[in-house]
């Protein structure tokens, strides 16, 4: 009787890797060994990228808040300090969205912040 090495699991494993490598250029998309290395590396980069995205988004929110606050004659750091003194606890994502979608409410928060720092 012939010897079975890994049965049906082997083609399944290869198929899974090659499916993940779909769209990769050249040998990396068709050859199992090259695809395996490429997929491992791409999954590592994807993991790191998901972590980096959080910092990137925060930087974007801060830039938007800074731009909106400067039109009110205040800097970003003074605005945040004023919010803390006024006891307003709104995160940067919501503040950024508010500056774009609801300028009146954002202006009210800026005024409360100014009042708290005495500007």
């Amino acid at each position: 009787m012939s010897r079975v090495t890994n049965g049906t699991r082997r083609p399944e494993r290869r198929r899974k890797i090659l499916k993940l490598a779909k769209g990769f250029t050249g040998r990396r998309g068709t050859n199992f060994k090259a695809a395996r290395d490429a997929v491992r590396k791409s999954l590592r980069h994807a993991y790191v990228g998901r972590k980096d995205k959080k910092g990137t988004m925060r930087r974007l929110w801060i830039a938007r808040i800074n731009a909106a606050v400067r039109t009110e004659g205040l800097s970003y750091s003074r605005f945040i300090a004023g919010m803390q003194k006024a006891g307003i606890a709104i995160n940067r994502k919501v503040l950024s969205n508010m500056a774009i979608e609801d300028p009146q409410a954002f202006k009210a928060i800026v005024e409360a912040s100014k009042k708290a720092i005495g500007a």
Side-chain angles (χ1 to χ4, degrees):
M1 185 179 260
S2 61
R3 187 171 67 95
V4 176
T5 59
N6 221 359
T8 59
R9 182 68 188 114
R10 187 173 187 227
E12 285 171 11
R13 185 171 50 92
R14 295 167 80 90
R15 215 173 295 127
K16 183 179 76 172
I17 294 293
L18 289 170
K19 185 178 179 186
L20 286 170
K22 189 175 181 182
F24 287 13
T25 310
R27 208 169 64 102
R28 305 173 96 218
T30 56
N31 177 268
F32 175 70
K33 284 185 180 181
R36 183 185 54 205
D37 295 340
V39 164
R40 282 180 184 163
K41 191 170 189 174
S42 70
L43 290 174
R44 251 195 328 267
H45 285 300
Y47 178 83
V48 171
R50 285 193 300 275
K51 307 303 167 201
D52 287 345
K53 190 164 107 176
K54 290 160 182 59
T56 304
M57 290 309 294
R58 184 179 167 98
R59 279 194 295 276
L60 174 66
W61 299 331
I62 289 171
R64 285 178 178 168
I65 294 167
N66 189 24
V69 166
R70 291 213 181 250
T71 61
E72 303 294 328
L74 205 60
S75 71
Y76 170 79
S77 60
R78 301 254 334 218
F79 170 66
I80 294 295
M83 277 185 55
Q84 287 174 346
K85 283 185 182 174
I88 302 169
I90 301 175
N91 66 22
R92 284 154 182 83
K93 180 179 180 178
V94 173
L95 281 171
S96 168
N97 201 25
M98 192 182 291
I100 294 166
E101 292 180 7
D102 194 1
Q104 286 90 12
F106 185 75
K107 190 170 185 172
I109 292 173
V110 172
E111 291 305 321
S113 177
K114 277 183 180 179
K115 197 175 185 182
I117 57 173

